[in-house]
Amino acid sequence: MQIEQIKELVRNMTLEEKAGLCSGENFWNTKEVERLNIQKIMLSDGPHGLRKQDAQADHLGVNESIKAVCFPAGCMTAASFDRELLTAVGEALGEECQAEGIGVLLGPAVNIKRSPLCGRNFEYYSEDPYVASEIANAFIKGVQSKKVGTSIKHFLANNQEHRRMTSSSEVDERTLREIYLAAFEGAVKSGKPWTVMCSYNKINGTYASENPVYLTDILRKEWGFDGCVVSDWGAVNNRVLGLSAGMDLEMPGSGGINDALIVEAVKNGELEENVLNETCVRILDVTYRYLENKDKSAVFDLGKDHALARKAAEESIVLLKNEENILPVSKERKIAFIGEFAKKPRYQGGGSSHINSFKVTSAMESLSKLGFEYITYEQGYQTQKDETIEELKQEAVRAAKDAEVAVIFAGLPDNFESEGYDRKHMHLPNCQNELIEEICDIQPNTIVVLHNGSPVEMPWIHKVKGLVEAYLGGQAIGEAVVNVLYGKVNPSGRLPETFPVRLEDNPSYLFFQGEGDVVEYREGVFVGYRYYESKKAEVQFPFGYGLSYTQFAYSNMNVDKNSINDTETIKVSVDVTNTGTVTGKEVVQLYVSPALGNILRPVIELRGFEKIQLEPNETKTVTFTLDKRSFAYWNTEIHDWHVISGKYTIHIGKSVRELVLSSSVTIESTTVIPVKYDFNSTLGDIMKNPRGKAILEAAQAQMFAGTQAKEMEETAQDSSGAINDEMMQATMEAMPLRQMLSFIPGMKREMLQQLIDALNNNQC
């Protein structure tokens, strides 16, 4: 239905019908207007699978949903760094939605991983906004290619579960723009999601559901979003303010309470009816985008999607350690598989994204299907309590000692991370750490497979020879892990987040969760690797890191221009060769280091990535295009992106800490930042501006000759050593103009004002 037709439909609605349309009929459905033949549509969780609830609906996964396919969680699919893979997963989910009559799938979730402790990190993609935005964009395009809407979430600055419904995220403008808004921006502009879900929290004191700066000024007017804003379930605080701010659809419904408030607000002039009309148009536009494109031939193919879930896990598993090439292991070796997760893998998180999987394949089940011999299994630990059961541990230790290789499946139990609460620490259960330590003491060939939705501390890391990060890999994770362990699949995942050595190293450590309902983001733009690299801090594993069963060589980096202005683009290319003996995939990463200047910036930022597959001895050329945003920071004076003139370094790397090739480019800014000088402007700041320097130097000859300032300069040569050249220079650079009234005899305030006027009139 065309927009003009929808507008005509809205014009024929009563005030009460329009108000009613702005909230859900129940937990998952919009309202219908029977008089005008307006049908309802169904929305459903979640980002990595279909959590459709037909009865006894809830938003936290308490009640059972239909049997479905659980794909790897966001924490894992982001590790694939594979846009095509995410599009394929999105297409499968879109097809499932069509088959099940779902109009909008609630995802993807792109909130930044500010702290490893956020209980919902397993749903989120990355600590880096570029990765989050690119992966989300690919997912959105896949789902919406099936004429089903997505709901990118949770907008905005929702980075913890603690007091998430009432807390205020206190974030400065630049940090919001460069980190938290940026995760949404690219996906909204390019992917064009049908809906955006606003978060529970406040942003700088105003609830996200009634914040016109973000819902209207930035989201709609600046980014061009033309869809519908949906509330997170129960996120509405003041319904009338929310409508005015741009919050369209309240979910779930309020039983008519808020509908009546809307009607009253229109009648008493508190709310313009035109605002309500526009809201209804946006809701109906989404409704008819789905209803007019329903695919009655769509089939929910459980088997086919299970195979895709396995492929997604295989592409996303990260090999973190492979000492002495212990992996892949030979099926001829005697191997002990140890740990409850080898038989009952933890493959998803708790809460609204929890999928009722139609089947789950474990590593042990997968091995039995392959018919591998020489495999033993011991449970080793239990997950209900963090409590060592001595009998289980000793049986596991004996099995490990009798084997040639021990593979320990470890990770975080269900109750360690979930929607609704944050993690209390970054440890594995003590019983698991104890088990790993004891096995390493008697078995030098030990491999650990981790199932976790967020980084964990690893006190045993230097004792194990192999480490496989399996994250929360969906219902087919057992098959995927076995295929990687035995070399059927060459691992190609890379970490979309930094693994710190310990929790205290995280930049948000002192401020995470905040005090009461105030959470201050004091680390600013220094989130994740932006902090660790700027500080040169030790980390367990850096952002972008991951190993392969083959090797890759980089050569022939080329930047097509040595200098540009900030309105131009440059192309960067590099050749990548598989120098090993097996086919593999490499994630080629491009980083930019900023020009030196007075702006406090991270020393390096990711600005591009591409995943390529290479046969042995094959070479491919990877090309990136960089534009103004690749070099810019958010300037709060002009409230826009700005590039400082100077030399920038472009790096090609295997991770943020393994930069293999670099080149530089000089960029000239075309934006003149207005400078306003006053009595407190320093001589040093004025001298940095070419025009300011010329005016000041012209005045110096007259002002400083034979003055007290001249005497100060001569005093600097005094043999007593009380004043030296460096001290004098620093003092002069830091001197505000007003101090000339004290140091220059005869200087009048009127004369100084003339100098300031001259500086400002020249638009320095």
Side-chain angles (χ1 to χ4, degrees), residues 36 45 56 131 143 233 236 251 274 297 321 408 435 470 489 518 657 672 716 755:
L36 297 173
D45 286 320
Q56 295 183 314
V131 172
V143 174
W233 266 233
V236 169
M251 292 297 293
N274 189 51
S297 66
K321 189 174 183 181
I408 305 172
L435 176 67
V489 170
V518 177
R657 289 233 164 141
V672 177
L755 173 61

Side-chain angles (χ1 to χ4, degrees), residues 61-251:
V62 176
N63 295 308
E64 193 169 89
S65 54
I66 64 167
K67 292 289 185 181
V69 174
C70 180
F71 289 89
C75 62
M76 189 175 198
T77 52
S80 73
F81 279 79
D82 191 330
R83 298 174 180 88
E84 292 183 3
L85 176 70
L86 267 294
T87 297
V89 170
E91 289 170 347
L93 287 167
E95 185 78 3
E96 292 178 5
C97 286
Q98 282 285 5
E100 289 293 333
I102 302 298
V104 176
L105 183 69
L106 303 177
V110 300
N111 296 93
I112 292 295
K113 297 184 179 185
R114 179 181 176 232
S115 166
L117 296 185
C118 176
R120 214 165 174 180
N121 272 353
F122 64 87
E123 284 190 59
Y124 303 150
Y125 290 135
S126 181
E127 68 189 22
D128 181 79
Y130 179 75
V131 172
S133 186
E134 288 292 298
I135 296 296
N137 183 30
F139 178 88
I140 289 166
K141 288 182 176 179
V143 174
Q144 294 187 173
S145 70
K146 300 298 181 178
K147 307 303 180 185
V148 171
T150 56
S151 191
I152 190 170
K153 61 184 187 180
H154 308 87
F155 193 69
L156 174 70
N158 178 192
N159 308 100
Q160 65 186 51
E161 293 299 282
H162 177 71
R163 301 179 72 94
R164 63 176 174 162
M165 297 185 183
T166 57
S167 67
S168 178
S169 299
E170 302 293 311
V171 198
D172 66 88
E173 177 188 349
R174 182 181 162 202
T175 299
L176 278 170
R177 287 288 188 166
E178 292 189 21
I179 305 295
Y180 299 99
L181 280 164
F184 290 87
E185 182 179 359
V188 168
K189 286 181 174 179
S190 180
K192 300 188 182 304
W194 290 9
T195 76
V196 169
M197 183 188 292
C198 74
S199 56
Y200 289 115
N201 57 288
K202 300 174 186 175
I203 307 153
N204 295 323
T206 302
Y207 277 106
S209 63
E210 54 198 53
N211 203 316
V213 173
Y214 304 106
L215 298 185
T216 296
D217 296 345
I218 292 176
L219 184 61
R220 296 192 189 282
K221 295 179 180 178
E222 186 179 321
W223 295 353
F225 175 66
D226 61 357
C228 170
V229 173
V230 182
S231 74
D232 201 343
W233 266 233
V236 169
N237 174 57
N238 183 311
R239 189 64 188 103
V240 174
L241 283 179
L243 273 176
S244 297
M247 210 296 292
D248 301 312
L249 178 61
E250 176 187 9
M251 292 297 293

Side-chain angles (χ1 to χ4, degrees), residues 374-510:
Y374 315 116
I375 303 295
T376 60
Y377 168 77
E378 293 294 342
Q379 181 177 336
Y381 60 83
Q382 53 88 42
T383 57
Q384 286 73 30
K385 293 182 180 180
D386 184 4
E387 181 179 286
T388 296
I389 300 176
E390 198 63 30
E391 183 181 355
L392 290 179
K393 185 181 72 171
Q394 291 308 320
E395 288 174 349
V397 170
R398 282 193 293 270
K401 186 176 182 179
D402 292 340
E404 294 177 80
V405 178
V407 180
I408 305 172
F409 287 72
L412 299 175
D414 284 330
N415 63 348
F416 269 52
E417 53 182 351
S418 170
E419 179 178 356
Y421 57 88
D422 295 317
R423 293 166 65 190
K424 296 178 176 63
H425 52 72
M426 217 175 84
H427 312 312
L428 287 175
N430 291 325
C431 63
Q432 292 187 27
N433 281 331
E434 184 180 327
L435 176 67
I436 295 170
E437 294 274 4
E438 290 203 25
I439 288 178
C440 285
D441 287 341
I442 55 91
Q443 175 52 265
N445 296 321
T446 299
I447 299 163
V448 171
V449 176
L450 284 174
H451 292 284
N452 49 299
S454 196
V456 295
E457 295 176 10
M458 305 175 192
W460 35 258
I461 186 61
H462 299 297
K463 296 183 179 182
V464 302
K465 282 189 178 177
L467 179 61
V468 175
E469 177 55 76
Y471 276 116
L472 301 185
Q475 66 181 53
I477 187 59
E479 300 167 66
V481 166
V482 166
N483 287 341
V484 167
L485 290 176
Y486 284 90
K488 185 177 179 181
V489 170
N490 189 349
S492 60
R494 302 293 183 264
L495 291 180
E497 59 192 321
T498 307
F499 275 43
V501 176
R502 56 182 192 152
L503 175 63
E504 290 83 355
D505 297 333
N506 180 261
S508 71
Y509 172 70
L510 294 175

Side-chain angles (χ1 to χ4, degrees), residues 653-672:
K654 297 183 178 182
S655 76
V656 74
R657 289 233 164 141
E658 190 176 357
L659 307 174
V660 294
L661 295 170
S662 298
S663 185
S664 62
V665 59
T666 300
I667 304 181
E668 185 69 29
S669 175
T670 59
T671 302
V672 177

Side-chain angles (χ1 to χ4, degrees), residues 526-542:
F526 293 93
V527 176
Y529 73 85
R530 286 167 166 79
Y531 168 80
Y532 297 114
E533 299 310 306
S534 298
K535 192 181 178 184
K536 298 182 180 179
E538 179 186 2
V539 299
Q540 197 71 75
F541 295 104

Side-chain angles (χ1 to χ4, degrees), residues 556 572-576 612 614 619-623:
N556 301 325
V572 180
S573 63
V574 63
D575 291 343
V576 184
I612 56 172
L614 294 168
T619 298
K620 286 184 179 178
T621 301
V622 179
T623 301

